[in-house]
Amino acid sequence: MDKRRFSLADFLCKFYVYILLLLMYAPILLLIVYSFTDTKIIGNWNGFSLRLYTALFNDSEIMQAFTNTFLVAISSAVVSTVLGTFGAIGIFYCSKRGKAVLEGISNIPVINAEIVTALSLTILFVFCGVKFNFLTLLIGHVVLTIPFVVLSVRPKLMQMDANIYEAALDLGATPGRALWSIIIPEIMPGVFSGFILSVTLSLDDYIITAFTRDTAFQTLSTYVYGVTSKKGTLPPSLRALTTVITLIALLILIIVNIKSTKEKENIRK
């Protein structure tokens, strides 16, 4: 009887997971499949074709938006990773009262609605007389992603043996030397996770981008919104772009998993 109950519960859990995966990835798979035909309406198959990919790479406006998107994502991720990593280290070594206050402050952008953050930044820039440009857009994305870097790095700091840092100081290392030689290597997986998460969040963002950018600066999110609001439909070439972005994300995931597997095997040896 117990085995039957366990089997039923196991089946229901797997069924639930598979349904979720289907709902999440079925629309993406549909776009990928129909990126290999030049039909304008999804559901009509005009035969296998790579015309959408040709049109994609020949469309200067889309390619410029694609380049801008990755430029903002990588730039903001680098800044957020550096600031977030040192911020997490500073919070970790703060006094108990100061740590609680700083952790609460760093979590506000995570809990807060994104539209509130975007409006606050817009009002601040207007109040200070700052023109909207790449810098204001970069600041907006950094504000969005820094808390997630802190959240990624903090667990690695908690797992780290604090005595190693103290031992390095006792052996004559300066605090800076101990930081770069001991702490940073120990928390590097968390730093890398924070960087990848920052890139993902920046690539996906629309609200903060729309409120803090120069109107002439297009990213993929603002371009797609602008085109669909004018034409009412998604341009067919964007189906090819969806496939390209998905393949890039999949390639990064495979590389990270291979690296993680090799590190685990080296630890076991």
Side-chain angles (χ1 to χ4, degrees):
M1 194 69 174
D2 292 336
K3 290 183 178 180
R4 289 180 180 178
R5 289 180 180 177
F6 176 77
S7 299
L8 179 60
D10 187 48
F11 170 77
L12 290 175
C13 289
K14 289 181 178 179
F15 179 75
Y16 177 72
V17 171
Y18 292 149
I19 289 295
L20 284 181
L21 291 175
L22 179 64
L23 292 174
M24 289 172 60
Y25 293 107
I28 298 175
L29 291 174
L30 185 66
L31 288 176
I32 290 174
V33 170
Y34 278 92
S35 70
F36 294 101
T37 184
D38 61 351
T39 179
K40 293 183 178 180
I41 301 174
I42 293 179
N44 295 334
W45 183 265
N46 289 343
F48 181 84
S49 173
L50 296 176
R51 290 179 183 176
L52 293 184
Y53 290 89
T54 303
L56 171 67
F57 291 110
N58 288 333
D59 192 323
S60 59
E61 193 173 2
I62 294 180
M63 295 311 299
Q64 185 62 53
F66 181 81
T67 303
N68 291 343
T69 301
F70 274 88
L71 176 63
V72 174
I74 298 300
S75 301
S76 62
V78 170
V79 176
S80 297
T81 302
V82 173
L83 295 179
T85 299
F86 286 106
I89 295 171
I91 292 172
F92 182 75
Y93 285 102
C94 269
S95 61
K96 191 173 182 180
R97 181 178 297 178
K99 182 184 293 187
V101 173
L102 291 174
E103 284 180 351
I105 293 173
S106 66
N107 287 332
I108 289 176
V110 178
I111 302 170
N112 204 10
E114 193 174 334
I115 184 65
V116 175
T117 303
L119 282 172
S120 301
L121 288 170
T122 303
I123 293 170
L124 177 64
F125 293 144
V126 172
F127 178 79
C128 295
V130 178
K131 288 185 177 181
F132 292 99
N133 50 33
F134 181 81
L135 181 60
T136 58
L137 178 59
L138 180 64
I139 291 172
H141 280 243
V142 169
V143 170
L144 171 69
T145 54
I146 273 185
F148 294 94
V149 177
V150 174
L151 290 174
S152 298
V153 174
R154 188 190 303 166
K156 292 300 177 182
L157 287 167
M158 296 173 68
Q159 294 171 7
M160 184 183 66
D161 186 358
N163 295 324
I164 300 177
Y165 178 73
E166 299 293 338
L169 296 179
D170 292 339
L171 292 172
T174 62
R177 178 72 175 177
L179 172 66
W180 288 105
S181 301
I182 303 298
I183 296 179
I184 297 298
E186 288 287 325
I187 64 174
M188 189 53 68
V191 174
F192 183 73
S193 298
F195 175 80
I196 296 297
L197 186 57
S198 297
V199 172
T200 304
L201 289 169
S202 180
L203 289 174
D204 189 48
D205 178 75
Y206 169 76
I207 297 176
I208 288 180
T209 302
F211 276 81
T212 59
R213 70 184 177 99
D214 181 4
T215 53
F217 191 88
Q218 291 278 15
T219 63
L220 286 175
S221 59
T222 58
Y223 173 78
V224 170
Y225 178 81
V227 170
T228 52
S229 61
K230 290 179 181 178
K231 298 182 179 180
T233 57
L234 193 69
S237 58
L238 290 180
R239 300 202 297 265
L241 181 62
T242 300
T243 305
V244 172
I245 294 176
T246 303
L247 290 177
I248 292 174
L250 184 62
L251 180 62
I252 293 173
L253 182 62
I254 291 172
I255 293 172
V256 171
N257 287 337
I258 292 174
K259 184 179 179 181
S260 177
T261 303
K262 288 183 178 179
E263 288 178 353
K264 289 179 180 178
E265 290 177 354
N266 293 332
I267 291 173
R268 289 175 183 175
K269 291 179 181 179

